[in-house]
Amino acid sequence: MTTGNIQLLGDTLAKAKAENRAALIAYLPAGFPTVDGGIAAIKAVFDGGADVVEVGLPHSDPVLDGPVIQTADDIALRGGVKIADVMRTVREAHEATGKPVLVMTYWNPIDRYGIERFTEELAEAGGAGCILPDLPVQESAVWREHADKHGLATVFVVAPSSKDERLATITAAGSGFVYAASLMGVTGTRESVGEQAADLVRRTRATSEFPVCVGLGVSNATQAREVAGFADGVIVGSAFVQRILDADGDEAAGLIAVRELAAELAEGVRRVS
């Protein structure tokens, strides 16, 4: 049986902690701006200093994604991206860098594709796990059984509205790390990440030994430094996607832009001692 890279993910997050810094976790959708271009962008982000990358599985109804990621998903879907392309993206990004790569996806595509097939293929591709923002924990047993069998992390999302009892239920079922949404609403850059995120991290840590990584709204080194002061990982997505959109079809310029942003953010997550 092929097993995934949940151990690599854990080791990577532990290494960042040992270096007294937060991990930098980047998000980019597969197939954006093309399948090959998306793979190149992920390699560039790793080259710039990202520790982990989440590969988005583009979906036609991305209810939790803001306009920037929706635009990228639309480009990928119009380009004909398939789950096979997502798996290829994971494989090539991981094999080229040796770093942990996860998939972030809504539940419906997995349900249609087949849980066993999806987890087996993700493990074979060298994936570290899956972030499932809309899968209720109470309905996740079958998924977790297959993910565990194939050595894949199951990362659930917690929000500021999550009560302490609910946090305990979610963190008990998850693995790899906990994805803490810094605020209520959809993805996208924000002027400020806010105090809600710090409080959510504190409450989540009280229920779990897993690293707590914060996403939604971080777009620059200043914000990354702020979040790194209280979280184990800083997750950035829309800002990377926007850099590629701003390149307006110039792939080389887009790659330079995301590499430079990753380098800036990688400096930001190094906490001031």
Side-chain angles (χ1 to χ4, degrees), residues 132-201:
L132 301 162
D134 66 339
L135 176 64
V137 171
Q138 62 270 23
E139 298 174 18
S140 68
V142 175
W143 160 266
R144 287 186 283 123
E145 176 187 344
H146 288 289
D148 290 348
K149 182 171 72 173
H150 291 292
L152 298 168
T154 297
V155 179
F156 288 112
V157 178
V158 298
S161 60
S162 302
K163 303 298 184 185
D164 290 352
E165 183 180 355
R166 178 69 175 162
L167 287 176
T169 300
I170 293 171
T171 58
S175 55
F177 65 91
V178 181
Y179 187 125
S182 64
L183 38 73
M184 303 302 293
V186 298
T187 60
T189 60
R190 300 290 194 282
E191 291 299 316
S192 174
V193 178
E195 294 181 5
Q196 279 187 321
D199 179 64
L200 177 58
V201 170

Side-chain angles (χ1 to χ4, degrees), residues 59-234:
H59 187 46
S60 57
D61 186 26
V63 293
L64 298 177
D65 292 315
V68 172
I69 291 175
Q70 284 187 25
T71 298
D73 278 3
D74 185 57
I75 290 169
L77 291 167
R78 284 191 282 112
V81 70
K82 306 292 185 189
I83 289 181
D85 299 312
V86 177
M87 298 301 178
R88 179 189 156 208
T89 299
V90 171
R91 176 179 288 105
E92 294 193 16
H94 170 64
E95 289 180 349
T97 64
K99 294 184 177 181
V101 182
L102 301 100
V103 168
M104 186 166 188
T105 178
Y106 295 99
W107 180 245
N108 193 44
I110 295 178
D111 195 36
R112 289 203 314 265
Y113 196 71
I115 299 172
E116 173 60 23
R117 180 184 179 195
F118 189 93
T119 52
E120 183 175 357
E121 290 182 5
L122 182 56
E124 287 176 349
C130 219
I131 302 165
L132 301 162
D134 66 339
L135 176 64
V137 171
Q138 62 270 23
E139 298 174 18
S140 68
V142 175
W143 160 266
R144 287 186 283 123
E145 176 187 344
H146 288 289
D148 290 348
K149 182 171 72 173
H150 291 292
L152 298 168
T154 297
V155 179
F156 288 112
V157 178
V158 298
S161 60
S162 302
K163 303 298 184 185
D164 290 352
E165 183 180 355
R166 178 69 175 162
L167 287 176
T169 300
I170 293 171
T171 58
S175 55
F177 65 91
V178 181
Y179 187 125
S182 64
L183 38 73
M184 303 302 293
V186 298
T187 60
T189 60
R190 300 290 194 282
E191 291 299 316
S192 174
V193 178
E195 294 181 5
Q196 279 187 321
D199 179 64
L200 177 58
V201 170
R202 178 188 59 77
R203 292 192 298 117
T204 304
R205 279 189 175 144
T207 71
S208 174
E209 296 295 318
F210 287 118
V212 183
C213 304
V214 171
L216 270 67
V218 179
S219 61
N220 57 52
T222 300
Q223 290 172 332
R225 185 173 293 110
E226 176 191 355
V227 174
F230 58 80
D232 300 298
V234 179

Side-chain angles (χ1 to χ4, degrees), residues 21-26 44-51 218-226 228 234 236 239-240 243 253-271:
R21 65 177 179 88
L24 174 59
I25 303 175
V45 166
F46 271 134
D47 188 47
D51 298 289
V218 179
S219 61
N220 57 52
T222 300
Q223 290 172 332
R225 185 173 293 110
E226 176 191 355
V234 179
V236 181
F240 283 113
R243 292 290 179 103
L255 295 178
I256 291 170
V258 295
R259 187 182 295 110
E260 288 178 346
L261 178 58
E264 293 167 12
L265 293 165
E267 281 298 309
V269 300
R270 282 159 172 78
R271 304 185 182 99

